[in-house]
PDB file of all heavy atoms in Angstrom:
ATOM      1  N   TYR O 140     -79.726  -0.555 162.569  1.00 94.00           N
ATOM      2  CA  TYR O 140     -79.872   0.138 163.851  1.00 94.00           C
ATOM      3  C   TYR O 140     -81.132  -0.400 164.514  1.00 94.00           C
ATOM      4  O   TYR O 140     -82.167  -0.555 163.865  1.00 94.00           O
ATOM      5  CB  TYR O 140     -80.103   1.647 163.654  1.00 94.00           C
ATOM      6  CG  TYR O 140     -78.958   2.463 163.159  1.00 94.00           C
ATOM      7  CD1 TYR O 140     -79.010   3.071 161.918  1.00 94.00           C
ATOM      8  CD2 TYR O 140     -77.846   2.689 163.959  1.00 94.00           C
ATOM      9  CE1 TYR O 140     -77.980   3.881 161.466  1.00 94.00           C
ATOM     10  CE2 TYR O 140     -76.809   3.500 163.512  1.00 94.00           C
ATOM     11  CZ  TYR O 140     -76.886   4.082 162.269  1.00 94.00           C
ATOM     12  OH  TYR O 140     -75.869   4.887 161.836  1.00 94.00           O
ATOM     13  N   ARG O 141     -81.073  -0.617 165.800  1.00 95.00           N
ATOM     14  CA  ARG O 141     -82.253  -0.956 166.595  1.00 95.00           C
ATOM     15  C   ARG O 141     -82.209  -0.068 167.828  1.00 95.00           C
ATOM     16  O   ARG O 141     -81.205  -0.067 168.555  1.00 95.00           O
ATOM     17  CB  ARG O 141     -82.233  -2.428 167.008  1.00 95.00           C
ATOM     18  CG  ARG O 141     -82.324  -3.362 165.825  1.00 95.00           C
ATOM     19  CD  ARG O 141     -82.234  -4.803 166.228  1.00 95.00           C
ATOM     20  NE  ARG O 141     -82.286  -5.646 165.038  1.00 95.00           N
ATOM     21  CZ  ARG O 141     -82.019  -6.942 165.044  1.00 95.00           C
ATOM     22  NH1 ARG O 141     -81.694  -7.539 166.173  1.00 95.00           N
ATOM     23  NH2 ARG O 141     -82.095  -7.625 163.929  1.00 95.00           N
ATOM     24  N   TYR O 142     -83.288   0.684 168.052  1.00 96.00           N
ATOM     25  CA  TYR O 142     -83.253   1.644 169.146  1.00 96.00           C
ATOM     26  C   TYR O 142     -84.644   2.025 169.605  1.00 96.00           C
ATOM     27  O   TYR O 142     -85.628   1.751 168.935  1.00 96.00           O
ATOM     28  CB  TYR O 142     -82.479   2.900 168.739  1.00 96.00           C
ATOM     29  CG  TYR O 142     -83.018   3.607 167.517  1.00 96.00           C
ATOM     30  CD1 TYR O 142     -84.034   4.563 167.620  1.00 96.00           C
ATOM     31  CD2 TYR O 142     -82.512   3.324 166.252  1.00 96.00           C
ATOM     32  CE1 TYR O 142     -84.518   5.219 166.500  1.00 96.00           C
ATOM     33  CE2 TYR O 142     -82.996   3.980 165.137  1.00 96.00           C
ATOM     34  CZ  TYR O 142     -83.997   4.916 165.261  1.00 96.00           C
ATOM     35  OH  TYR O 142     -84.479   5.561 164.150  1.00 96.00           O
ATOM     36  N   ARG O 143     -84.675   2.665 170.735  1.00 96.00           N
ATOM     37  CA  ARG O 143     -85.920   3.202 171.259  1.00 96.00           C
ATOM     38  C   ARG O 143     -85.942   4.699 170.984  1.00 96.00           C
ATOM     39  O   ARG O 143     -84.982   5.401 171.273  1.00 96.00           O
ATOM     40  CB  ARG O 143     -86.034   2.950 172.764  1.00 96.00           C
ATOM     41  CG  ARG O 143     -87.355   3.470 173.342  1.00 96.00           C
ATOM     42  CD  ARG O 143     -87.540   3.009 174.745  1.00 96.00           C
ATOM     43  NE  ARG O 143     -86.788   3.877 175.639  1.00 96.00           N
ATOM     44  CZ  ARG O 143     -86.994   3.956 176.943  1.00 96.00           C
ATOM     45  NH1 ARG O 143     -87.902   3.194 177.519  1.00 96.00           N
ATOM     46  NH2 ARG O 143     -86.273   4.761 177.677  1.00 96.00           N
ATOM     47  N   VAL O 144     -87.041   5.161 170.399  1.00 97.00           N
ATOM     48  CA  VAL O 144     -87.219   6.596 170.201  1.00 97.00           C
ATOM     49  C   VAL O 144     -88.183   7.088 171.276  1.00 97.00           C
ATOM     50  O   VAL O 144     -89.132   6.401 171.649  1.00 97.00           O
ATOM     51  CB  VAL O 144     -87.720   6.941 168.782  1.00 97.00           C
ATOM     52  CG1 VAL O 144     -89.121   6.456 168.532  1.00 97.00           C
ATOM     53  CG2 VAL O 144     -87.617   8.430 168.517  1.00 97.00           C
ATOM     54  N   ASN O 145     -87.862   8.247 171.802  1.00 98.00           N
ATOM     55  CA  ASN O 145     -88.644   8.862 172.868  1.00 98.00           C
ATOM     56  C   ASN O 145     -89.163  10.202 172.374  1.00 98.00           C
ATOM     57  O   ASN O 145     -88.438  10.949 171.730  1.00 98.00           O
ATOM     58  CB  ASN O 145     -87.768   9.100 174.101  1.00 98.00           C
ATOM     59  CG  ASN O 145     -87.062   7.839 174.525  1.00 98.00           C
ATOM     60  OD1 ASN O 145     -87.622   7.013 175.197  1.00 98.00           O
ATOM     61  ND2 ASN O 145     -85.813   7.679 174.093  1.00 98.00           N
ATOM     62  N   VAL O 146     -90.399  10.494 172.719  1.00 98.00           N
ATOM     63  CA  VAL O 146     -91.022  11.760 172.340  1.00 98.00           C
ATOM     64  C   VAL O 146     -91.645  12.361 173.588  1.00 98.00           C
ATOM     65  O   VAL O 146     -92.325  11.654 174.344  1.00 98.00           O
ATOM     66  CB  VAL O 146     -92.130  11.546 171.285  1.00 98.00           C
ATOM     67  CG1 VAL O 146     -92.835  12.847 170.953  1.00 98.00           C
ATOM     68  CG2 VAL O 146     -91.569  10.891 170.033  1.00 98.00           C
ATOM     69  N   ILE O 147     -91.401  13.625 173.803  1.00 98.00           N
ATOM     70  CA  ILE O 147     -92.085  14.338 174.889  1.00 98.00           C
ATOM     71  C   ILE O 147     -92.733  15.584 174.295  1.00 98.00           C
ATOM     72  O   ILE O 147     -92.085  16.348 173.583  1.00 98.00           O
ATOM     73  CB  ILE O 147     -91.126  14.733 176.033  1.00 98.00           C
ATOM     74  CG1 ILE O 147     -90.685  13.486 176.794  1.00 98.00           C
ATOM     75  CG2 ILE O 147     -91.808  15.712 176.986  1.00 98.00           C
ATOM     76  CD1 ILE O 147     -89.841  13.758 178.002  1.00 98.00           C
ATOM     77  N   LEU O 148     -94.017  15.737 174.587  1.00 97.00           N
ATOM     78  CA  LEU O 148     -94.771  16.941 174.236  1.00 97.00           C
ATOM     79  C   LEU O 148     -95.152  17.621 175.537  1.00 97.00           C
ATOM     80  O   LEU O 148     -95.794  17.003 176.393  1.00 97.00           O
ATOM     81  CB  LEU O 148     -96.037  16.569 173.460  1.00 97.00           C
ATOM     82  CG  LEU O 148     -95.768  16.086 172.053  1.00 97.00           C
ATOM     83  CD1 LEU O 148     -96.486  14.796 171.810  1.00 97.00           C
ATOM     84  CD2 LEU O 148     -96.211  17.148 171.084  1.00 97.00           C
ATOM     85  N   LEU O 149     -94.761  18.865 175.677  1.00 97.00           N
ATOM     86  CA  LEU O 149     -95.025  19.611 176.910  1.00 97.00           C
ATOM     87  C   LEU O 149     -96.190  20.574 176.724  1.00 97.00           C
ATOM     88  O   LEU O 149     -96.383  21.133 175.641  1.00 97.00           O
ATOM     89  CB  LEU O 149     -93.776  20.390 177.323  1.00 97.00           C
ATOM     90  CG  LEU O 149     -92.529  19.550 177.605  1.00 97.00           C
ATOM     91  CD1 LEU O 149     -91.334  20.452 177.860  1.00 97.00           C
ATOM     92  CD2 LEU O 149     -92.770  18.601 178.763  1.00 97.00           C
ATOM     93  N   ASP O 150     -96.948  20.744 177.799  1.00 97.00           N
ATOM     94  CA  ASP O 150     -98.068  21.696 177.818  1.00 97.00           C
ATOM     95  C   ASP O 150     -99.026  21.470 176.648  1.00 97.00           C
ATOM     96  O   ASP O 150     -99.463  22.406 175.986  1.00 97.00           O
ATOM     97  CB  ASP O 150     -97.558  23.142 177.790  1.00 97.00           C
ATOM     98  CG  ASP O 150     -96.747  23.477 179.031  1.00 97.00           C
ATOM     99  OD1 ASP O 150     -97.054  22.937 180.103  1.00 97.00           O
ATOM    100  OD2 ASP O 150     -95.799  24.279 178.912  1.00 97.00           O
ATOM    101  N   PHE O 151     -99.382  20.231 176.429  1.00 97.00           N
ATOM    102  CA  PHE O 151    -100.257  19.885 175.307  1.00 97.00           C
ATOM    103  C   PHE O 151    -101.707  20.136 175.703  1.00 97.00           C
ATOM    104  O   PHE O 151    -102.208  19.552 176.663  1.00 97.00           O
ATOM    105  CB  PHE O 151    -100.051  18.424 174.899  1.00 97.00           C
ATOM    106  CG  PHE O 151    -100.675  18.070 173.599  1.00 97.00           C
ATOM    107  CD1 PHE O 151    -100.160  18.555 172.417  1.00 97.00           C
ATOM    108  CD2 PHE O 151    -101.791  17.244 173.553  1.00 97.00           C
ATOM    109  CE1 PHE O 151    -100.739  18.241 171.200  1.00 97.00           C
ATOM    110  CE2 PHE O 151    -102.370  16.925 172.348  1.00 97.00           C
ATOM    111  CZ  PHE O 151    -101.851  17.417 171.166  1.00 97.00           C
ATOM    112  N   ALA O 152    -102.396  20.998 174.942  1.00 96.00           N
ATOM    113  CA  ALA O 152    -103.747  21.429 175.311  1.00 96.00           C
ATOM    114  C   ALA O 152    -104.819  20.911 174.354  1.00 96.00           C
ATOM    115  O   ALA O 152    -105.932  21.402 174.361  1.00 96.00           O
ATOM    116  CB  ALA O 152    -103.802  22.951 175.383  1.00 96.00           C
ATOM    117  N   LYS O 153    -104.493  19.909 173.545  1.00 95.00           N
ATOM    118  CA  LYS O 153    -105.470  19.314 172.631  1.00 95.00           C
ATOM    119  C   LYS O 153    -105.718  17.871 173.062  1.00 95.00           C
ATOM    120  O   LYS O 153    -105.113  17.380 174.011  1.00 95.00           O
ATOM    121  CB  LYS O 153    -104.957  19.368 171.202  1.00 95.00           C
ATOM    122  CG  LYS O 153    -104.801  20.783 170.674  1.00 95.00           C
ATOM    123  CD  LYS O 153    -104.311  20.778 169.251  1.00 95.00           C
ATOM    124  CE  LYS O 153    -104.158  22.204 168.742  1.00 95.00           C
ATOM    125  NZ  LYS O 153    -103.707  22.240 167.354  1.00 95.00           N
ATOM    126  N   ASP O 154    -106.571  17.191 172.331  1.00 95.00           N
ATOM    127  CA  ASP O 154    -106.858  15.786 172.617  1.00 95.00           C
ATOM    128  C   ASP O 154    -105.618  14.940 172.289  1.00 95.00           C
ATOM    129  O   ASP O 154    -105.126  14.996 171.152  1.00 95.00           O
ATOM    130  CB  ASP O 154    -108.052  15.334 171.781  1.00 95.00           C
ATOM    131  CG  ASP O 154    -108.552  13.946 172.154  1.00 95.00           C
ATOM    132  OD1 ASP O 154    -107.755  13.125 172.656  1.00 95.00           O
ATOM    133  OD2 ASP O 154    -109.742  13.691 171.933  1.00 95.00           O
ATOM    134  N   PRO O 155    -105.098  14.157 173.224  1.00 95.00           N
ATOM    135  CA  PRO O 155    -103.920  13.315 172.943  1.00 95.00           C
ATOM    136  C   PRO O 155    -104.134  12.338 171.788  1.00 95.00           C
ATOM    137  O   PRO O 155    -103.171  11.875 171.188  1.00 95.00           O
ATOM    138  CB  PRO O 155    -103.693  12.575 174.259  1.00 95.00           C
ATOM    139  CG  PRO O 155    -104.274  13.472 175.295  1.00 95.00           C
ATOM    140  CD  PRO O 155    -105.461  14.113 174.641  1.00 95.00           C
ATOM    141  N   ALA O 156    -105.383  12.055 171.444  1.00 95.00           N
ATOM    142  CA  ALA O 156    -105.649  11.157 170.319  1.00 95.00           C
ATOM    143  C   ALA O 156    -105.041  11.694 169.029  1.00 95.00           C
ATOM    144  O   ALA O 156    -104.668  10.910 168.140  1.00 95.00           O
ATOM    145  CB  ALA O 156    -107.147  10.941 170.152  1.00 95.00           C
ATOM    146  N   ILE O 157    -104.903  13.005 168.904  1.00 96.00           N
ATOM    147  CA  ILE O 157    -104.267  13.607 167.719  1.00 96.00           C
ATOM    148  C   ILE O 157    -102.823  13.105 167.606  1.00 96.00           C
ATOM    149  O   ILE O 157    -102.366  12.713 166.533  1.00 96.00           O
ATOM    150  CB  ILE O 157    -104.288  15.149 167.809  1.00 96.00           C
ATOM    151  CG1 ILE O 157    -105.722  15.662 167.788  1.00 96.00           C
ATOM    152  CG2 ILE O 157    -103.446  15.780 166.703  1.00 96.00           C
ATOM    153  CD1 ILE O 157    -105.853  17.127 168.178  1.00 96.00           C
ATOM    154  N   VAL O 158    -102.131  13.077 168.714  1.00 97.00           N
ATOM    155  CA  VAL O 158    -100.732  12.630 168.734  1.00 97.00           C
ATOM    156  C   VAL O 158    -100.650  11.143 168.425  1.00 97.00           C
ATOM    157  O   VAL O 158     -99.846  10.714 167.584  1.00 97.00           O
ATOM    158  CB  VAL O 158    -100.089  12.931 170.104  1.00 97.00           C
ATOM    159  CG1 VAL O 158     -98.686  12.354 170.188  1.00 97.00           C
ATOM    160  CG2 VAL O 158    -100.090  14.421 170.374  1.00 97.00           C
ATOM    161  N   PHE O 159    -101.490  10.353 169.066  1.00 96.00           N
ATOM    162  CA  PHE O 159    -101.405   8.907 168.893  1.00 96.00           C
ATOM    163  C   PHE O 159    -101.874   8.468 167.507  1.00 96.00           C
ATOM    164  O   PHE O 159    -101.307   7.535 166.931  1.00 96.00           O
ATOM    165  CB  PHE O 159    -102.155   8.191 170.013  1.00 96.00           C
ATOM    166  CG  PHE O 159    -101.457   8.351 171.333  1.00 96.00           C
ATOM    167  CD1 PHE O 159    -102.000   9.139 172.332  1.00 96.00           C
ATOM    168  CD2 PHE O 159    -100.238   7.755 171.574  1.00 96.00           C
ATOM    169  CE1 PHE O 159    -101.346   9.313 173.539  1.00 96.00           C
ATOM    170  CE2 PHE O 159     -99.567   7.922 172.772  1.00 96.00           C
ATOM    171  CZ  PHE O 159    -100.126   8.704 173.766  1.00 96.00           C
ATOM    172  N   THR O 160    -102.864   9.138 166.946  1.00 95.00           N
ATOM    173  CA  THR O 160    -103.292   8.831 165.577  1.00 95.00           C
ATOM    174  C   THR O 160    -102.164   9.132 164.595  1.00 95.00           C
ATOM    175  O   THR O 160    -101.887   8.340 163.691  1.00 95.00           O
ATOM    176  CB  THR O 160    -104.546   9.652 165.214  1.00 95.00           C
ATOM    177  OG1 THR O 160    -105.583   9.322 166.121  1.00 95.00           O
ATOM    178  CG2 THR O 160    -105.008   9.369 163.798  1.00 95.00           C
ATOM    179  N   THR O 161    -101.496  10.247 164.790  1.00 96.00           N
ATOM    180  CA  THR O 161    -100.364  10.609 163.938  1.00 96.00           C
ATOM    181  C   THR O 161     -99.257   9.569 164.064  1.00 96.00           C
ATOM    182  O   THR O 161     -98.674   9.141 163.058  1.00 96.00           O
ATOM    183  CB  THR O 161     -99.841  12.009 164.317  1.00 96.00           C
ATOM    184  OG1 THR O 161    -100.914  12.944 164.180  1.00 96.00           O
ATOM    185  CG2 THR O 161     -98.666  12.421 163.446  1.00 96.00           C
ATOM    186  N   LEU O 162     -98.964   9.153 165.281  1.00 96.00           N
ATOM    187  CA  LEU O 162     -97.922   8.149 165.507  1.00 96.00           C
ATOM    188  C   LEU O 162     -98.275   6.826 164.837  1.00 96.00           C
ATOM    189  O   LEU O 162     -97.440   6.223 164.154  1.00 96.00           O
ATOM    190  CB  LEU O 162     -97.690   7.942 167.001  1.00 96.00           C
ATOM    191  CG  LEU O 162     -96.714   6.831 167.381  1.00 96.00           C
ATOM    192  CD1 LEU O 162     -95.322   7.097 166.827  1.00 96.00           C
ATOM    193  CD2 LEU O 162     -96.673   6.671 168.887  1.00 96.00           C
ATOM    194  N   ILE O 163     -99.503   6.358 165.004  1.00 94.00           N
ATOM    195  CA  ILE O 163     -99.916   5.086 164.409  1.00 94.00           C
ATOM    196  C   ILE O 163     -99.848   5.175 162.875  1.00 94.00           C
ATOM    197  O   ILE O 163     -99.369   4.245 162.222  1.00 94.00           O
ATOM    198  CB  ILE O 163    -101.325   4.682 164.891  1.00 94.00           C
ATOM    199  CG1 ILE O 163    -101.332   4.436 166.394  1.00 94.00           C
ATOM    200  CG2 ILE O 163    -101.835   3.468 164.128  1.00 94.00           C
ATOM    201  CD1 ILE O 163    -100.387   3.371 166.887  1.00 94.00           C
ATOM    202  N   ASP O 164    -100.309   6.272 162.308  1.00 95.00           N
ATOM    203  CA  ASP O 164    -100.216   6.440 160.859  1.00 95.00           C
ATOM    204  C   ASP O 164     -98.760   6.423 160.406  1.00 95.00           C
ATOM    205  O   ASP O 164     -98.417   5.822 159.384  1.00 95.00           O
ATOM    206  CB  ASP O 164    -100.876   7.750 160.422  1.00 95.00           C
ATOM    207  CG  ASP O 164    -102.392   7.690 160.457  1.00 95.00           C
ATOM    208  OD1 ASP O 164    -102.955   6.576 160.552  1.00 95.00           O
ATOM    209  OD2 ASP O 164    -103.026   8.762 160.406  1.00 95.00           O
ATOM    210  N   TRP O 165     -97.893   7.073 161.185  1.00 95.00           N
ATOM    211  CA  TRP O 165     -96.471   7.089 160.852  1.00 95.00           C
ATOM    212  C   TRP O 165     -95.889   5.674 160.930  1.00 95.00           C
ATOM    213  O   TRP O 165     -95.122   5.250 160.059  1.00 95.00           O
ATOM    214  CB  TRP O 165     -95.738   8.055 161.781  1.00 95.00           C
ATOM    215  CG  TRP O 165     -94.289   8.205 161.460  1.00 95.00           C
ATOM    216  CD1 TRP O 165     -93.732   9.076 160.568  1.00 95.00           C
ATOM    217  CD2 TRP O 165     -93.213   7.452 162.016  1.00 95.00           C
ATOM    218  NE1 TRP O 165     -92.368   8.907 160.548  1.00 95.00           N
ATOM    219  CE2 TRP O 165     -92.029   7.919 161.423  1.00 95.00           C
ATOM    220  CE3 TRP O 165     -93.146   6.434 162.952  1.00 95.00           C
ATOM    221  CZ2 TRP O 165     -90.779   7.386 161.748  1.00 95.00           C
ATOM    222  CZ3 TRP O 165     -91.891   5.902 163.277  1.00 95.00           C
ATOM    223  CH2 TRP O 165     -90.737   6.387 162.664  1.00 95.00           C
ATOM    224  N   LEU O 166     -96.262   4.917 161.962  1.00 94.00           N
ATOM    225  CA  LEU O 166     -95.771   3.543 162.111  1.00 94.00           C
ATOM    226  C   LEU O 166     -96.231   2.651 160.962  1.00 94.00           C
ATOM    227  O   LEU O 166     -95.493   1.757 160.539  1.00 94.00           O
ATOM    228  CB  LEU O 166     -96.224   2.942 163.447  1.00 94.00           C
ATOM    229  CG  LEU O 166     -95.525   3.465 164.694  1.00 94.00           C
ATOM    230  CD1 LEU O 166     -96.211   2.940 165.949  1.00 94.00           C
ATOM    231  CD2 LEU O 166     -94.049   3.106 164.695  1.00 94.00           C
ATOM    232  N   ARG O 167     -97.436   2.862 160.459  1.00 92.00           N
ATOM    233  CA  ARG O 167     -97.940   2.052 159.338  1.00 92.00           C
ATOM    234  C   ARG O 167     -96.985   2.098 158.147  1.00 92.00           C
ATOM    235  O   ARG O 167     -96.833   1.118 157.439  1.00 92.00           O
ATOM    236  CB  ARG O 167     -99.313   2.555 158.892  1.00 92.00           C
ATOM    237  CG  ARG O 167    -100.433   2.099 159.740  1.00 92.00           C
ATOM    238  CD  ARG O 167    -101.799   2.471 159.131  1.00 92.00           C
ATOM    239  NE  ARG O 167    -102.839   1.992 160.000  1.00 92.00           N
ATOM    240  CZ  ARG O 167    -103.524   2.763 160.849  1.00 92.00           C
ATOM    241  NH1 ARG O 167    -103.278   4.061 160.904  1.00 92.00           N
ATOM    242  NH2 ARG O 167    -104.441   2.246 161.623  1.00 92.00           N
ATOM    243  N   THR O 168     -96.359   3.232 157.934  1.00 92.00           N
ATOM    244  CA  THR O 168     -95.433   3.395 156.814  1.00 92.00           C
ATOM    245  C   THR O 168     -93.995   3.071 157.200  1.00 92.00           C
ATOM    246  O   THR O 168     -93.264   2.444 156.442  1.00 92.00           O
ATOM    247  CB  THR O 168     -95.487   4.851 156.290  1.00 92.00           C
ATOM    248  OG1 THR O 168     -96.814   5.127 155.884  1.00 92.00           O
ATOM    249  CG2 THR O 168     -94.528   5.065 155.139  1.00 92.00           C
ATOM    250  N   ASN O 169     -93.575   3.478 158.391  1.00 94.00           N
ATOM    251  CA  ASN O 169     -92.164   3.437 158.765  1.00 94.00           C
ATOM    252  C   ASN O 169     -91.743   2.261 159.632  1.00 94.00           C
ATOM    253  O   ASN O 169     -90.541   1.994 159.750  1.00 94.00           O
ATOM    254  CB  ASN O 169     -91.799   4.750 159.466  1.00 94.00           C
ATOM    255  CG  ASN O 169     -91.902   5.916 158.527  1.00 94.00           C
ATOM    256  OD1 ASN O 169     -91.017   6.137 157.720  1.00 94.00           O
ATOM    257  ND2 ASN O 169     -93.000   6.649 158.592  1.00 94.00           N
ATOM    258  N   GLN O 170     -92.673   1.574 160.257  1.00 93.00           N
ATOM    259  CA  GLN O 170     -92.346   0.412 161.080  1.00 93.00           C
ATOM    260  C   GLN O 170     -93.570  -0.514 161.120  1.00 93.00           C
ATOM    261  O   GLN O 170     -94.080  -0.850 162.179  1.00 93.00           O
ATOM    262  CB  GLN O 170     -91.964   0.866 162.495  1.00 93.00           C
ATOM    263  CG  GLN O 170     -91.079  -0.087 163.247  1.00 93.00           C
ATOM    264  CD  GLN O 170     -89.653  -0.110 162.724  1.00 93.00           C
ATOM    265  OE1 GLN O 170     -89.035   0.900 162.493  1.00 93.00           O
ATOM    266  NE2 GLN O 170     -89.126  -1.303 162.551  1.00 93.00           N
ATOM    267  N   PRO O 171     -94.064  -0.933 159.947  1.00 90.00           N
ATOM    268  CA  PRO O 171     -95.346  -1.643 159.884  1.00 90.00           C
ATOM    269  C   PRO O 171     -95.395  -2.953 160.649  1.00 90.00           C
ATOM    270  O   PRO O 171     -96.459  -3.340 161.140  1.00 90.00           O
ATOM    271  CB  PRO O 171     -95.565  -1.859 158.385  1.00 90.00           C
ATOM    272  CG  PRO O 171     -94.208  -1.761 157.773  1.00 90.00           C
ATOM    273  CD  PRO O 171     -93.456  -0.792 158.630  1.00 90.00           C
ATOM    274  N   GLU O 172     -94.275  -3.622 160.793  1.00 88.00           N
ATOM    275  CA  GLU O 172     -94.308  -4.918 161.482  1.00 88.00           C
ATOM    276  C   GLU O 172     -94.737  -4.789 162.942  1.00 88.00           C
ATOM    277  O   GLU O 172     -95.249  -5.736 163.529  1.00 88.00           O
ATOM    278  CB  GLU O 172     -92.968  -5.644 161.363  1.00 88.00           C
ATOM    279  CG  GLU O 172     -91.834  -5.077 162.188  1.00 88.00           C
ATOM    280  CD  GLU O 172     -91.146  -3.882 161.558  1.00 88.00           C
ATOM    281  OE1 GLU O 172     -91.559  -3.407 160.497  1.00 88.00           O
ATOM    282  OE2 GLU O 172     -90.159  -3.426 162.156  1.00 88.00           O
ATOM    283  N   LEU O 173     -94.538  -3.622 163.545  1.00 89.00           N
ATOM    284  CA  LEU O 173     -95.001  -3.424 164.925  1.00 89.00           C
ATOM    285  C   LEU O 173     -96.511  -3.558 165.037  1.00 89.00           C
ATOM    286  O   LEU O 173     -97.032  -3.960 166.071  1.00 89.00           O
ATOM    287  CB  LEU O 173     -94.589  -2.050 165.450  1.00 89.00           C
ATOM    288  CG  LEU O 173     -93.131  -1.823 165.784  1.00 89.00           C
ATOM    289  CD1 LEU O 173     -92.923  -0.400 166.282  1.00 89.00           C
ATOM    290  CD2 LEU O 173     -92.625  -2.825 166.783  1.00 89.00           C
TER     291      LEU O 173
END
């Protein structure tokens, strides 16, 4: 499978770096070649 995943967070009241750090950590394990 090759696809684009989309994520939307609504009314987010914290630092967006929390979301992006989590995403990057997730990519390190699940899609490291990116």
